[in-house]
Amino acid sequence: MKVKRISLWSVDLTSHEIYYMAESKTCDTVKSHVLCLETDMGLKGWGEVCPIPHYLPAFADGVPSAITEMAPEILGTSPFGVDAAMRRLDGFLQGHLHAKSIVDMALWDLFGKATEQPLYALLGGRTNVDMPLYHSITCVAPDEMARIATEAFATGIRQFQVKLGVGVDWQADAERLIKVREAVGDGPLVYGDWNCGATKLHATRTGRAVSHLDIMLEQPCKTLEECAAVRQATGLPMKIDEGAFDLASLIHAAELGVLDAVALKLSKFGGLSAMRRARDLSVHLGAEICSECSWGSDIVTAASLHFAASTPQGALINTCDLSSYVCPRIAPDCPTRINGRIAPPEGAGLGVTPDLETLGTPILELD
């Protein structure tokens, strides 16, 4: 069984509401790419990547060029043994991990379909029947963020990511965290995320103002060393996101004492193959894992859910149903949240079927 055809689509995903982050970053309508790898046996494997602006050192419009460049190595590839195929691609084209992640995902989907196994079985076996979700709250006025948290709490959500940094006012950020914590009460996980947009001073003042509360901080500063200084000054646990992108960065974060939790994202690591290795190391280092991607719809959500379902119990902090934040839905059969939790799709491979009418006409076809 070999890959004989490559098809690529571009789909604009629009957030249900404009998403505000630190340093004047916003996420409204962004471009997602969907890949189909078809074999000579008629099986189709699907992948998706959506590198939102300001987050990854990645250019969404570069995905078609990268796929075209890698096409000679992709065509003729067997879906049996995805790690080997991805190592060949790494040797053929250095970097461009976001573009490789979409290929890796599609190959894993093919592997699952060829063996008639759900992806979580191939990623280590199912250890979680369903997984807790976190709800990400856009950085707006503190009272409005508390209202959003209250609404999400009523649906069963018990983990809340509070975006911070809009307006560069540390007191406003502290109020955001305090108001959300008050809204959801004791017990639920609440963490403030600057997406690297805070100075050490800003993050430290905010952290000290809420240090009497059960709060975690997420990647306040651009460097791991700055994050370590904030953790030491505030005494609050730390989750690393942007600063964790390969095995070396995970080890460095652990050495600095900031790897209480970590966001493992498919597009950041280059797909499921590399992220599985990162998961094993994270578990060894004692970090709790968030399984997700940078942005996207149903296909990338399905991959994240399978990864989360196969993550060892006690090592998974949460996952994210990215498709619930955007429209259109690319694969309407992808699972949705139920009482604050979500289960992976059933069926072979990813277990989701993209809607070809939603995808429209491919922007690239190679065979």
Side-chain angles (χ1 to χ4, degrees):
M1 185 183 299
K2 307 290 184 182
V3 174
K4 73 167 187 176
R5 180 172 293 115
I6 300 170
S7 301
L8 186 71
W9 291 262
S10 175
V11 181
D12 287 338
L13 301 178
T14 300
S15 302
H16 295 311
E17 59 182 355
I18 299 177
Y19 203 67
Y20 296 99
M21 297 172 279
E23 294 185 316
S24 301
K25 299 173 185 176
T26 60
C27 187
D28 184 8
T29 297
V30 295
K31 184 174 295 185
S32 191
H33 283 96
V34 173
L35 178 72
C36 178
L37 300 182
E38 186 175 353
T39 73
D40 50 10
M41 301 294 290
L43 294 181
K44 294 181 179 180
W46 296 91
E48 181 186 7
V49 68
C50 184
I52 62 173
H54 324 299
Y55 178 78
L56 286 176
F59 179 47
D61 284 329
V63 171
S65 297
I67 295 298
T68 301
E69 182 72 15
M70 292 186 289
E73 290 294 310
I74 298 171
L75 292 169
T77 294
S78 168
F80 298 103
V82 182
D83 290 85
M86 294 310 299
R87 288 191 180 99
R88 289 196 300 271
L89 277 183
D90 285 338
F92 183 78
L93 178 67
Q94 295 188 29
H96 302 278
L97 295 179
H98 65 296
K100 289 176 181 174
S101 71
I102 195 174
V103 178
D104 177 273
M105 195 183 304
L107 286 174
W108 277 101
D109 190 24
L110 280 177
F111 187 19
K113 289 173 178 172
T115 58
E116 299 183 346
Q117 293 293 317
L119 207 57
Y120 58 72
L122 304 178
L123 294 173
R126 189 168 189 169
T127 58
N128 300 288
V129 175
D130 59 9
M131 298 80 65
L133 289 161
Y134 75 86
H135 189 78
S136 188
I137 305 174
T138 181
C139 189
V140 288
D143 287 335
E144 177 64 9
M145 295 178 77
R147 182 194 64 78
I148 295 170
T150 300
E151 289 185 351
F153 184 90
T155 69
I157 293 288
R158 293 298 180 267
Q159 300 192 29
F160 302 86
Q161 182 191 64
V162 181
K163 291 297 184 181
L164 304 173
V166 171
V168 197
D169 181 347
W170 72 268
Q171 291 174 308
D173 282 343
E175 186 180 1
R176 290 178 172 109
L177 289 168
I178 292 169
K179 288 288 182 67
V180 170
R181 170 50 76 195
E182 290 175 347
V184 302
D186 296 333
L189 177 64
V190 174
Y191 52 103
D193 181 19
W194 283 275
N195 291 107
C196 300
T199 64
K200 286 190 295 183
L201 179 60
H202 181 115
T204 297
R205 297 175 85 180
T206 303
R208 285 182 171 172
V210 301
S211 61
H212 62 293
L213 299 173
D214 178 15
I215 296 289
M216 182 169 69
L217 303 181
E218 178 175 352
Q219 191 84 41
C221 307
K222 290 181 172 59
T223 70
L224 294 176
E225 287 76 11
E226 291 172 311
C227 292
V230 173
R231 195 198 190 293
Q232 183 176 15
T234 63
L236 295 174
M238 183 76 65
K239 175 187 174 189
I240 296 300
D241 182 356
E242 292 87 349
F245 50 85
D246 60 12
L247 301 186
S249 63
L250 291 171
I251 293 171
H252 187 43
E255 291 172 341
L256 291 170
V258 292
L259 201 67
D260 298 300
V262 62
L264 299 184
K265 296 186 175 180
L266 292 158
S267 57
K268 189 170 54 173
F269 280 84
L272 290 159
S273 300
M275 205 159 88
R276 186 172 55 164
R277 295 189 289 272
R279 177 178 67 188
D280 291 343
L281 179 59
S282 298
V283 172
H284 174 72
L285 294 172
E288 294 195 26
I289 295 164
C290 168
S291 169
E292 59 178 351
C293 198
S294 52
W295 205 242
S297 185
D298 297 289
I299 301 172
V300 76
T301 292
S304 298
L305 298 183
H306 281 283
F307 186 87
S310 60
T311 295
Q313 288 186 357
L316 182 76
I317 189 171
N318 55 37
T319 188
C320 185
D321 56 342
L322 290 167
S323 53
S324 73
Y325 293 88
V326 300
C327 61
R329 297 293 300 265
I330 289 176
D333 56 351
C334 188
T336 56
R337 60 177 68 180
I338 300 175
N339 196 31
R341 302 181 71 87
I342 195 166
E346 299 297 335
L350 288 171
V352 294
T353 308
D355 180 7
L356 294 179
E357 289 190 10
T358 299
L359 293 181
T361 303
I363 61 171
L364 183 68
E365 292 183 290
L366 301 168
D367 52 24

